[in-house]
Amino acid sequence: MIILRILMVEDHEDVNAMLTELFEQADYQVTSAMDGVEGYRAFLQNEFDIVLLDIMLPYKSGDELLKEIRAISDVPVVMISAKDLVSTKIDLLRLGADDYITKPFDLGEVLARIESILRRVKKQATPMKQLQYKDIVLDDVAKRVTVSGEEVLLTAKEYLLLELFMTNQEKVFTKANLYESIWQEEYLGDEHIIKIHISNLRHKLKIKDPQTDYIETLRGLGYRLRP
């Protein structure tokens, strides 16, 4: 059995202990940290399959830690916070978070979200597959994307979005198509998540090739790779 490794950075002792017990009972290997500095040190010293990160942390805030992780890694990061503001969620998604859980939370929901993300990003022993569109090359085994030979560091969901587009290069995807394909949940009309991830993906591709806009928005219809 493959043991999945989770880094949990949460300064509330009771919540930390409760989540640690939850994940260990689900056969995860848990590394726990009580502040942002300790969490970043643990991240640098070990390899993790996913990170669960509180926003309000001593010494280094959760959003600061998220920025530092995103600068060097595309590991899935799930934020947890008592803040339930849409603006807070948008800011964190723009920084590269893969999901956002609001306190107080249901333990079953937390575990289900973690498992859902890990299922989508799990590397499988499949034959080499490369997808190409214009100057973009997506290596599905290495989970690596390059534009004109330069690597682009994407989050898990940005990667999955690009893979979906490149696998169906002429298809127009509605927001509901994208949400239900990538998040594998029913789309309830929250456009912010889709818009932010598409915007982040566009931005990262454009940094490597400022002259090309790869993703086209069709007003009232959805998104596709630009013909």
Side-chain angles (χ1 to χ4, degrees):
M1 182 178 68
I2 298 174
I3 302 298
L4 297 173
R5 298 150 300 179
I6 182 168
L7 171 61
M8 183 177 59
V9 190
E10 164 62 63
D11 67 317
H12 192 290
E13 290 187 7
D14 290 342
V15 175
N16 193 307
M18 179 175 60
L19 289 172
T20 297
E21 182 180 4
L22 171 72
F23 294 126
E24 288 181 344
Q25 288 180 348
D27 294 323
Y28 288 82
Q29 179 181 313
V30 182
T31 298
S32 175
M34 299 293 292
D35 63 67
V37 172
E38 181 187 358
Y40 189 56
R41 186 182 301 117
F43 184 80
L44 293 176
Q45 293 174 348
N46 303 275
E47 292 186 5
F48 296 97
D49 296 289
I50 195 164
V51 177
L52 188 63
L53 180 58
D54 192 16
I55 295 178
M56 304 298 292
L57 294 169
Y59 309 125
K60 187 191 296 287
S61 67
D63 52 349
E64 289 177 311
L65 182 50
L66 174 61
K67 289 179 187 177
E68 294 180 345
I69 290 174
R70 276 291 163 261
I72 59 175
S73 174
D74 62 353
V75 65
V77 178
V78 177
M79 306 299 295
I80 53 176
S81 174
K83 295 181 179 180
D84 193 23
L85 298 175
V86 171
S87 59
T88 301
K89 296 179 182 179
I90 291 173
D91 289 342
L92 291 169
L93 291 171
R94 283 179 173 155
L95 287 176
D98 292 275
D99 204 351
Y100 184 102
I101 299 173
T102 304
K103 296 178 181 178
F105 45 71
D106 178 80
L107 290 177
E109 179 186 0
V110 173
L111 187 58
R113 290 201 187 200
I114 294 294
E115 290 174 343
S116 177
I117 291 173
L118 287 173
R119 279 197 303 270
R120 292 193 295 269
V121 301
K122 181 181 179 182
K123 293 181 180 179
Q124 299 180 355
T126 56
M128 175 67 71
K129 182 178 76 170
Q130 284 194 345
L131 300 173
Q132 183 161 5
Y133 164 75
K134 297 186 178 180
D135 295 327
I136 304 175
V137 175
L138 184 149
D139 184 333
D140 191 46
V141 172
K143 303 301 181 188
R144 184 172 183 263
V145 174
T146 58
V147 176
S148 300
E150 292 190 49
E151 186 170 3
V152 183
L153 192 63
L154 301 178
T155 67
K157 286 199 171 63
E158 291 162 4
Y159 178 92
L160 292 170
L161 280 169
L162 182 60
E163 183 181 41
L164 186 62
F165 283 130
M166 292 180 69
T167 305
N168 305 272
Q169 296 190 13
E170 297 182 2
K171 180 177 173 62
V172 176
F173 290 92
T174 65
K175 295 183 181 70
N177 290 155
L178 294 175
Y179 188 85
E180 291 173 3
S181 296
I182 304 303
W183 279 262
Q184 297 184 355
E185 298 175 1
E186 182 183 0
Y187 179 68
L188 299 177
D190 185 357
E191 298 183 354
H192 293 296
I193 293 177
I194 298 297
K195 287 182 177 179
I196 290 167
H197 281 83
I198 292 290
S199 176
N200 289 345
L201 177 58
R202 275 178 166 151
H203 176 69
K204 291 180 180 181
L205 295 175
K206 206 166 187 64
I207 287 176
K208 301 300 182 182
D209 183 0
Q211 306 304 317
T212 305
D213 187 8
Y214 293 99
I215 300 173
E216 181 178 24
T217 300
L218 300 175
R219 189 174 297 277
L221 294 175
Y223 303 92
R224 68 176 177 187
L225 291 182
R226 188 176 296 278

